[in-house]
């Protein structure tokens, strides 16, 4: 006998630093929205100063959320993010219902949407990948299943990025970080070039605002909703806290630096937009990024923006696949999900089963074409979870005052309260604009109750899985 102790279960390795964390935050946040959503804002709030105020205000509210989540993540530096925050503040059931909905719709539906969006923009350069290129149609009783090139490109992108993440969190982070640097460089070049060339439009910052029929407050609220959705994804780093070196420092720094960088990039991007197009023209174009590039640099420049969107979408997809697979690992360790999902590969130290299970379902949603409808159903539930995670900070401050807090939220209680109010604004808008979809979404969340009851009965026998991997 050698006297050596048998090796314990494989664990996630802490290989990511604060810079990796900031890049994951940036990569998960910057998608296609910055190239599109300002058109919607300009239609309801046609004034450059107010549009810029919306973007800066939305960024500050997002930063408030980052400050709140930074305290929670530093308290619980493990994989899971929002699932862990909800579990610790409210108990297993709310955490499970979030994780359940995240796996079946919120995160996988988002991955599918990003994947098809990637294929659609890639189709501008490779026509085979366009969503307009139908590959085949299969007649089924009561419906016709159609598969297009955008869906195939999306599936291939999901499989490739999952394979990269399989072979190590550092490998996944390297690919994601590279894509993030490329997208940041593309935005920086657009901004710098936009200020070097002669202005094509002159923004009148002091012009009186013609009040829309619904009133300034309503218009500002509608525009703020669009901005907050464009900032969505900023919280992704909290799901990967279990793989951060010195998470008590790296997580707050990664979140705050990442969100701060995105706010600055978005504001500068809009200053360049105002040099390219009058606000009246902004509201008339569906793809403001391409229109602004054409106005500033010539017609061919629009294709540069399309290429930037391809990279941006692919990078956002890479970040989402990397962080979202970490939600289901602690669920399985708690005995509240399929036991095999708790498996961590002994060679690569990554949650390989969770990665591939997530991607298999996302691929199915991608080719089914149902992801878009499903995603509209759970928008309300997703925002509800974010708001609940924000209020978890207040709950845990009261219920666990002696718990170690390596980082404490700056500006407490006003800063996290502002974030919670912003989340409630999103919830209220979603409920008013899509009451049917919101109620169906809550029904999908409630469908997790029988599953929770099933797994809860076997949880005591599986609790050893969680203890063994800590």
């Amino acid at each position: 006998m050698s006297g050596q102790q048998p090796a314990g279960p494989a664990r996630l390795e802490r290989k990511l630093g604060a810079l990796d964390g900031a890049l994951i935050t940036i990569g998960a946040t910057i998608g296609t929205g910055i190239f599109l959503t300002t058109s919607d804002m300009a239609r309801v709030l046609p004034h450059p100063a107010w549009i810029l105020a919306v973007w800066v205000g939305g960024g500050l509210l997002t930063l408030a959320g980052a400050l709140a989540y930074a305290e929670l993540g530093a308290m619980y530096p493990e994989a899971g993010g929002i699932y862990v925050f909800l579990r610790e503040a409210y108990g297993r059931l709310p955490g499970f219902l979030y994780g359940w909905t995240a796996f079946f719709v919120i995160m996988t539906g988002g991955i599918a949407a990003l994947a098809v969006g990637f294929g659609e923009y890639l189709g501008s350069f490779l026509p085979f990948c366009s969503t307009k290129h139908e590959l085949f149609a299969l007649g089924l009783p009561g419906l016709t299943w159609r598969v297009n090139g955008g869906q195939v490109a999306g599936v291939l992108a999901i499989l490739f990025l999952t394979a990269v993440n399989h072979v190590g969190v550092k490998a996944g982070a390297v690919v994601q970080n590279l894509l993030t640097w490329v997208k940041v460089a593309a935005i920086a070049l657009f901004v710098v070039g936009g200020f070097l060339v002669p202005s094509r439009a002159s923004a009148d910052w002091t012009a009186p605002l013609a009040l829309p029929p619904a009133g300034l407050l309503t218009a500002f609220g509608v525009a703020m909703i669009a901005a907050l959705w464009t900032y969505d994804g900023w919280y992704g780093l909290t799901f990967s806290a279990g793989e951060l070196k010195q998470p008590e420092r790296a997580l707050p720094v990664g979140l705050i630096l990442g969100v701060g960088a995105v706010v600055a990039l978005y504001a500068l991007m809009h200053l360049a937009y105002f040099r390219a197009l009058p606000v009246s023209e902004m509201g008339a174009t569906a793809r403001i990024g391409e229109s602004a590039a054409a106005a500033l640099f010539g017609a061919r420049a629009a294709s540069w923006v399309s290429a930037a969107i391809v990279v941006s979408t692919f990078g956002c997809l890479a970040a989402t696949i990397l962080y979202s697979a970490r939600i289901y690992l602690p669920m399985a360790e708690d005995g509240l999900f399929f036991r095999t999902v708790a498996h961590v590969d002994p060679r690569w130290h990554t949650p390989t089963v969770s990665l591939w299970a997530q991607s298999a379902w996302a691929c199915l949603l991608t080719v089914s074409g149902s992801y878009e409808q499903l995603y509209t159903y759970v928008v309300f539930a997703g925002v509800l979870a974010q708001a609940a995670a924000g209020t978890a900070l207040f709950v845990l401050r009261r219920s666990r005052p002696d718990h170690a807090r390596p980082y404490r939220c700056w500006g407490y209680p006003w800063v996290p309260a502002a974030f919670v109010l912003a989340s409630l604004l999103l919830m209220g808008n979603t409920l008013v604009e899509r009451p049917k979809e919101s109620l169906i979404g809550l029904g999908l969340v409630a469908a997790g109750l029988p599953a929770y009851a099933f797994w809860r009965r076997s949880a005591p026998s599986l609790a050893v899985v969680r203890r063994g991997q800590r």
Side-chain angles (χ1 to χ4, degrees), residues 214-414:
L216 177 60
L217 186 60
T218 300
F220 190 87
V222 171
M224 181 63 76
I225 296 298
L228 291 173
W229 281 128
T230 306
Y231 281 108
D232 190 47
W234 58 269
Y235 45 80
L237 180 61
T238 64
F239 299 118
S240 297
E243 290 154 297
L244 291 173
K245 294 180 289 188
Q246 298 181 316
E248 67 280 357
R249 175 183 177 275
L251 193 141
V253 170
L255 277 176
I256 295 167
L257 282 184
V259 170
V262 173
V263 175
L265 287 171
Y266 282 5
L268 291 171
M269 190 81 164
H270 281 81
L271 292 177
Y273 283 166
F274 294 137
R275 290 176 55 83
L277 299 169
V279 174
S280 58
E281 290 186 24
M282 288 183 179
T285 178
R287 297 184 175 184
I288 187 172
E290 295 174 33
S291 298
L296 288 171
F297 311 116
R300 291 185 178 180
S303 62
W304 303 348
V305 175
S306 294
I309 293 175
V310 170
V311 174
S312 183
T313 308
F314 194 63
C316 192
L317 179 63
T320 305
I321 289 173
L322 186 153
Y323 73 71
S324 59
R326 274 66 182 173
I327 302 172
Y328 322 116
L329 181 67
M331 289 176 63
E333 291 175 347
D334 287 338
L336 296 178
F337 208 45
F338 300 106
R339 183 173 182 174
T340 54
V341 174
H343 174 74
V344 175
D345 188 273
R347 178 181 180 186
W348 305 113
H349 299 280
T350 53
T352 50
V353 176
S354 182
L355 275 165
W356 287 107
Q358 166 187 265
S359 293
W361 184 246
C363 287
L364 184 62
L365 292 179
T366 299
V367 297
S368 71
S370 61
Y371 66 89
E372 187 173 359
Q373 187 63 56
L374 285 171
Y375 199 62
T376 63
Y377 289 154
V378 295
V379 163
F380 182 79
V383 179
L384 176 62
Q386 289 185 39
T391 59
L393 179 61
F394 297 92
V395 173
L396 292 170
R397 282 276 185 115
R398 185 181 68 253
S399 63
R400 301 182 187 179
D402 298 327
H403 195 289
R405 288 175 169 81
Y407 169 83
R408 298 179 75 90
C409 177
W410 178 85
Y412 180 89
W414 307 111

Side-chain angles (χ1 to χ4, degrees), residues 22 38 59 91 115 123 136 152 164-165 178-179 217 223 225 303 324 355 379 382-383 422 428 442 462:
T38 304
F136 66 85
V152 171
V164 170
N165 279 280
L178 176 62
L179 293 167
L217 186 60
I225 296 298
S303 62
S324 59
L355 275 165
V379 163
V383 179
L442 289 178
L462 298 180

Side-chain angles (χ1 to χ4, degrees), residues 72-89:
L72 294 168
M75 287 177 67
Y76 302 104
E78 57 188 274
I82 293 175
Y83 166 78
V84 174
F85 306 157
L86 297 180
R87 182 194 68 198
E88 297 299 326

